[in-house]
Amino acid sequence: MTTTRLRLFADYFQLHVMDEDAEDDLGEAWTQEAVSDGLAVSRQTLGIGTAVDMDVTVTVELLGRPPGDDSDAFDHVVEASIEVPTGRIAVLGCTDYLPDAARFEVPEGFVRVRASRTNLANVRLSDEEGYDDPEGMEQVHLRIWPAPHSAPAVIKRWTATGAAGRAGD
């Protein structure tokens, strides 16, 4: 297992996880449902929705197998598959300069990405004191492992009222 911590600018309320050579356009993938789910999916790129359009902390974990269910530790959890023909994933804010993006080695082929977001009730906006402290920032935990392609899933949903609940409840 490899763990890396990043701080990224979630411009337009999103982060991207993608094959380093992907040219997918997520414009049409951000449907009303995708915005609600916090997940836009194309073949080689995922858009991970965020609650803010400012810096977020991001932890990237590379795993050899699927992680266990730890959704109780997070506010909102989604996952989806992408194809990574180059064997290198880039993780970045959607307006970041791709050549400068953090890159991670993964097996070529399909990988599964679980995006778990937390601290949503404590997020401070840029005009609030403490917005730049980790305690006031949205935290995104990305877990990536090799897996056959499967449908996107909302494992746990954060509601606009701030009450978290499992998808399907």
Side-chain angles (χ1 to χ4, degrees):
M1 176 175 76
T2 302
T3 302
T4 304
R5 288 183 173 54
L6 307 168
R7 183 174 174 154
L8 298 174
F9 181 52
D11 203 9
Y12 296 99
F13 300 89
Q14 61 185 295
L15 303 171
H16 288 177
V17 178
M18 58 190 281
D19 180 86
E20 72 175 351
D21 288 344
E23 295 183 6
D24 303 8
D25 179 358
L26 289 178
E28 294 193 15
W30 280 113
T31 63
Q32 187 172 349
E33 179 182 12
V35 171
S36 174
D37 292 348
L39 181 65
V41 181
S42 66
R43 184 149 183 98
Q44 296 180 358
T45 304
L46 296 180
I48 307 300
T50 62
V52 296
D53 63 343
M54 48 196 253
D55 284 355
V56 298
T57 61
V58 179
T59 302
V60 179
E61 268 188 271
L62 302 178
L63 307 172
R65 58 185 165 81
D69 180 10
D70 62 352
S71 58
D72 287 343
F74 298 98
D75 298 324
H76 188 86
V77 182
V78 295
E79 64 181 47
S81 300
I82 57 170
E83 184 180 21
V84 186
T86 66
R88 290 180 52 86
I89 285 182
V91 177
L92 63 158
C94 80
T95 57
D96 287 346
Y97 184 53
L98 181 59
D100 293 340
R103 285 181 164 66
F104 302 90
E105 300 282 338
V106 298
E108 292 178 14
F110 283 97
V111 298
R112 191 77 173 166
V113 178
R114 181 177 298 165
S116 304
R117 297 166 41 215
T118 192
N119 207 37
L120 300 181
N122 299 320
V123 169
R124 296 185 192 115
L125 301 179
S126 61
D127 61 349
E128 296 177 307
E129 186 176 330
Y131 78 92
D132 206 26
D133 296 331
E135 299 81 31
M137 298 176 75
E138 180 172 348
Q139 298 164 12
V140 180
H141 197 127
L142 300 173
R143 289 184 185 95
I144 303 167
W145 67 95
H149 182 271
S150 58
V154 177
I155 297 167
K156 183 176 181 181
R157 183 179 300 278
W158 171 262
T159 64
T161 61
R166 290 195 184 277
D169 283 355

